Amino acid sequence: MKLKVNRTFNFNAGPSALPFTVLEKAQQELIDFRGTGMSVMELSHRSKAYEDVHNQAITSLKELLSIPDHYEVLFLQGGASLQFSMIPMNFLQAGKQAAYVMTGSWSEKAFSEAKLFGEVYQAASTKDGKYRSIPKLDELNYKKEDTYLHITSNNTIYGTQWKEYPNTGDVPLIADMSSDILSKSIDVSKFALIYAGAQKNLGPSGVTVVIIRKDLLEKANTNIPTMLKYSTHAKNNSLYNTPPTFGIYMLGEVLNWARELGGLNAISELNDKKATLIYDAIDSSDGYYIGHAQKDSRSLMNITFNLKTEELEKRFLDQAKRKGFVGVNGHRSIGGVRVSTYNAVPFEACQAFSEYMIQFQKENN
């Protein structure tokens, strides 16, 4: 007998919604994973059963993102926050500089960590404009001798997203794509390193994906702890120590779901339709809803806005909660409303929220 499941409209910014079919499959395989008599969480990470899961997840990610052969795919731990330190630790060399583009809180944190390891500077910043936009490509002031240029592709707190990426030539381009990886097609070959926490579009929290060009690995600093070297994990297929096996299993199943959905083109088209529903409600409100991001920098993953007064915002959020919309409070640093429309958030959820916005305005104008 199949139990009736009561699901909310989950707009959490992360950990975020997972595909329902993936959760159902995980539920079915939880106790006896594919005839092993054990849960996937009980399998040895050295076993053939887990090795197949691990390698298939890597293969699926390479296929979906069209990752060239001269890149390694790593499954690490510690989230993007650990990458803020690992990147300069590995690549910021003595006597050289690295450039950072400041577009929000996460780029600020990455910059602060990098300062602990060497010389860094800001190649551009939109902080003076309250992080409402992404810098124009011709506004990026980095140097050809820089060790790398670091960007944050999508800004969850402020609701901005890069629409195109710079061609940096010989300067390695590094991107934190935690909140929009797998949401659209990208040219991986533009980047020397991409990193992303899994808990937005890839799976549950606990796994960090790193896509790194092999020649960059060869240039890394060597006098650092073994576990903090990318080369350690590349040489050992991310199995140097016990990996987050269940998280990687779930990541693999999310990738299978993405493939069955039609791949990145289909996902990108759906994400655009979902975000448009809510942006249209903002734009047609005659200023009742005030979007934070400039239109040319709007994120398709995190939609941020305010209402005309704090009292209205509180009423809006209270009623949204009662109607089953979860996770729509803005980040504590800026307040307001934030609707995260990651891959696994259904179109119907965004449609329902858009209708709620329109109805709320009619009733509270």
Side-chain angles (χ1 to χ4, degrees):
M1 178 180 173
K2 191 169 183 177
L3 296 175
K4 183 179 179 181
V5 179
N6 182 29
R7 299 283 289 172
T8 64
F9 294 119
N10 183 359
F11 292 107
N12 276 315
S16 58
L18 287 165
F20 186 65
T21 55
V22 170
L23 293 172
E24 284 188 314
K25 185 174 182 184
Q27 182 185 48
Q28 293 165 7
E29 294 186 330
L30 186 64
I31 295 174
D32 183 2
F33 178 70
R34 302 175 190 176
T36 61
M38 295 176 283
S39 169
V40 68
M41 291 183 284
E42 298 175 291
L43 295 176
S44 167
H45 64 293
R46 308 294 182 191
S47 68
K48 176 66 166 59
Y50 174 72
E51 185 179 296
D52 290 345
V53 169
H54 190 93
N55 291 335
Q56 184 55 54
I58 292 172
T59 299
S60 294
L61 192 63
K62 286 181 176 179
E63 291 175 352
L64 278 166
L65 291 179
S66 300
I67 299 173
D69 291 338
H70 58 290
Y71 285 77
E72 295 278 1
V73 172
L74 310 179
F75 295 143
L76 307 182
Q77 299 174 60
S81 295
L82 181 57
Q83 295 304 302
F84 297 162
S85 300
M86 280 186 69
I87 288 164
M89 194 180 292
N90 277 264
F91 304 119
L92 186 49
Q93 299 158 357
K96 290 196 172 185
Q97 292 183 315
Y100 282 71
V101 181
M102 313 305 289
T103 52
S105 297
W106 300 110
S107 53
E108 286 181 356
K109 290 181 179 182
F111 183 72
S112 294
E113 289 297 299
K115 285 194 293 186
L116 301 174
F117 298 96
E119 294 296 320
V120 294
Y121 69 97
Q122 296 183 17
S125 175
T126 56
K127 186 172 184 177
D128 287 346
K130 298 182 179 179
Y131 290 135
R132 295 180 185 275
S133 64
I134 297 295
K136 308 296 184 188
L137 296 187
D138 59 8
E139 295 174 345
L140 304 182
N141 296 309
Y142 58 94
K143 308 179 187 72
K144 63 181 181 180
E145 62 270 19
D146 286 341
T147 301
Y148 59 82
L149 173 68
H150 180 283
I151 67 172
T152 306
S153 63
N154 184 79
N155 301 282
T156 56
I157 294 175
Y158 297 96
T160 60
Q161 185 178 29
W162 290 71
K163 304 304 179 184
E164 57 179 328
Y165 301 113
N167 292 309
T168 56
D170 292 334
V171 178
L173 179 60
I174 293 177
D176 176 359
M177 290 193 180
S178 292
S179 53
D180 67 348
I181 194 170
L182 207 71
S183 69
K184 60 180 180 178
S185 296
I186 58 170
D187 182 359
V188 173
S189 66
K190 279 192 169 186
F191 300 89
L193 188 153
I194 294 169
Y195 64 98
Q199 66 273 12
K200 316 283 188 178
N201 278 330
L202 292 174
S205 59
V207 184
T208 307
V209 169
V210 172
I211 302 165
I212 184 169
R213 213 169 58 205
K214 292 179 180 179
D215 70 296
L216 191 65
L217 283 168
E218 297 167 1
K219 300 173 184 176
N221 300 324
T222 56
N223 191 28
I224 56 178
T226 302
M227 275 293 292
L228 297 175
K229 294 178 182 177
Y230 291 106
S231 59
T232 297
H233 304 286
K235 289 174 184 175
N236 291 277
N237 194 32
S238 302
L239 292 166
Y240 178 77
N241 68 319
T242 306
T245 54
F246 185 73
I248 293 169
Y249 156 73
M250 289 292 289
L251 183 147
E253 292 301 328
V254 170
L255 296 175
N256 290 338
W257 168 83
R259 186 189 299 108
E260 291 169 4
L261 207 62
L264 291 186
N265 288 335
I267 288 171
S268 177
E269 183 179 345
L270 181 58
N271 284 335
D272 185 69
K273 289 178 180 178
K274 291 189 301 185
T276 296
L277 285 170
I278 299 168
Y279 282 126
D280 281 352
I282 293 172
D283 293 339
S284 63
S285 72
D286 293 325
Y288 191 86
Y289 299 113
I290 306 161
H292 180 81
Q294 292 181 6
K295 287 187 177 182
D296 62 354
S297 297
R298 282 175 165 176
S299 170
L300 298 183
M301 297 283 95
N302 309 98
I303 301 165
T304 55
F305 62 93
N306 291 85
L307 280 79
K308 292 189 292 185
T309 67
E310 289 186 9
E311 189 276 330
L312 270 179
E313 278 184 6
K314 184 178 185 305
R315 191 185 309 166
F316 179 91
L317 291 168
D318 287 345
Q319 289 188 23
K321 184 177 181 180
R322 289 198 296 272
K323 289 179 178 292
F325 298 111
V326 174
V328 295
N329 289 61
H331 190 271
R332 60 187 178 276
S333 62
I334 65 169
V337 183
R338 172 173 59 179
V339 186
S340 297
T341 57
Y342 298 125
N343 289 355
V345 175
F347 178 85
E348 294 74 18
C350 297
Q351 190 173 43
F353 194 81
S354 174
E355 291 170 356
Y356 165 64
M357 291 174 67
I358 294 168
Q359 188 62 34
F360 181 89
Q361 181 179 359
K362 287 179 179 177
E363 295 173 355
N364 295 272
N365 214 341

